[in-house]
Amino acid sequence: MHTLQEVNVRLAFTVSHKRRLIIVEHAVAQMQFYAQRRWWQCEAGGALLGRHLLDSNDIVVDEVTTPQHGDRRSRFGFFRSQRHGEIARARWAEEQMTVAYLGLWHTHPEPCPTPSNTDKRDWEKTVSADMFEGDRLFFPIVGTTLIRVWCLSRRGFMRELREVSDNA
């Protein structure tokens, strides 16, 4: 696993036997910027935007939305405003419908982040209510040391993704 001190690192996780989730360097850096390393820093989050690659079946997170005006943030809580969805729809239109909504990310003030029951309920609501391509959404949690990722399928199956050691 990569620690947050590593810079310009893309992350790759196994989704299935023939599919990976790849988070590009820029998106990793944007999420890491909001890691709650100080006692006074509030949770942050946003949406994952990217592509489903047809030639490899991989899913690539090219960009993330970052905290927006209207988000509600506290040390142990984050409420995402509608602005993130507006940004996602605008990017989809700007890129001729090639930018996909892939999930949601947020921070936790702990080294090895674990989803709370509130997180899990939010993810279930998101998968059932949001429109998205594919059969699952992804949910990275940025801790003070590690980034861990979970996925939730339309059928309600949730699991943590395993990081691929060779993410070249």
Side-chain angles (χ1 to χ4, degrees), residues 8 32 35 44 54 56 58 61 78 80 101 152 168:
N8 295 326
Q32 287 177 338
L54 298 177
S56 68
D58 288 340
V61 175
F78 176 74
R80 196 174 287 98
Y101 165 62
L152 179 60

Side-chain angles (χ1 to χ4, degrees), residues 36-54:
Q36 295 174 263
R37 295 184 188 96
R38 304 276 190 248
W39 66 267
W40 46 265
Q41 292 175 309
C42 295
E43 283 196 18
L48 308 174
L49 305 174
R51 306 168 275 150
H52 292 264
L53 301 181
L54 298 177

Side-chain angles (χ1 to χ4, degrees), residues 80 101-104 119-132 137-139 152 154:
R80 196 174 287 98
Y101 165 62
L102 301 173
L104 302 171
D119 292 333
K120 292 175 185 177
R121 282 192 303 272
D122 182 49
W123 298 348
E124 289 166 355
K125 180 180 166 188
T126 298
V127 168
S128 66
D130 290 359
M131 292 187 350
F132 59 95
L137 289 176
F138 301 93
F139 302 96
L152 179 60
R154 291 183 191 269

Side-chain angles (χ1 to χ4, degrees), residues 11 13 15 19-24 27-28 31 46-54 57-65 80 84-85 87-89 91-92 97-106 122-123 126-128 130-141 148-154 159 161:
L11 299 178
F13 298 87
V15 177
R19 180 174 288 166
R20 297 176 302 164
L21 173 70
I22 299 167
I23 307 174
V24 301
V28 172
M31 292 187 295
L48 308 174
L49 305 174
R51 306 168 275 150
H52 292 264
L53 301 181
L54 298 177
N57 288 321
D58 288 340
I59 301 154
V60 179
V61 175
D62 292 308
E63 57 186 295
V64 298
T65 64
R80 196 174 287 98
H84 297 273
I87 293 169
R89 285 186 292 279
R91 293 290 299 129
W92 181 74
M97 300 172 270
T98 61
V99 172
Y101 165 62
L102 301 173
L104 302 171
W105 71 275
H106 72 285
D122 182 49
W123 298 348
T126 298
V127 168
S128 66
D130 290 359
M131 292 187 350
F132 59 95
E133 181 181 334
D135 61 348
R136 62 182 57 97
L137 289 176
F138 301 93
F139 302 96
I141 301 179
R148 296 174 69 192
V149 179
W150 285 262
C151 69
L152 179 60
S153 73
R154 291 183 191 269
R159 69 181 177 89
L161 301 183

Side-chain angles (χ1 to χ4, degrees), residues 70-89:
D71 291 349
R72 289 195 311 253
R73 300 174 60 194
S74 68
R75 180 67 176 162
F76 300 105
F78 176 74
F79 175 79
R80 196 174 287 98
S81 69
Q82 293 181 356
R83 182 72 183 121
H84 297 273
E86 293 166 3
I87 293 169
R89 285 186 292 279

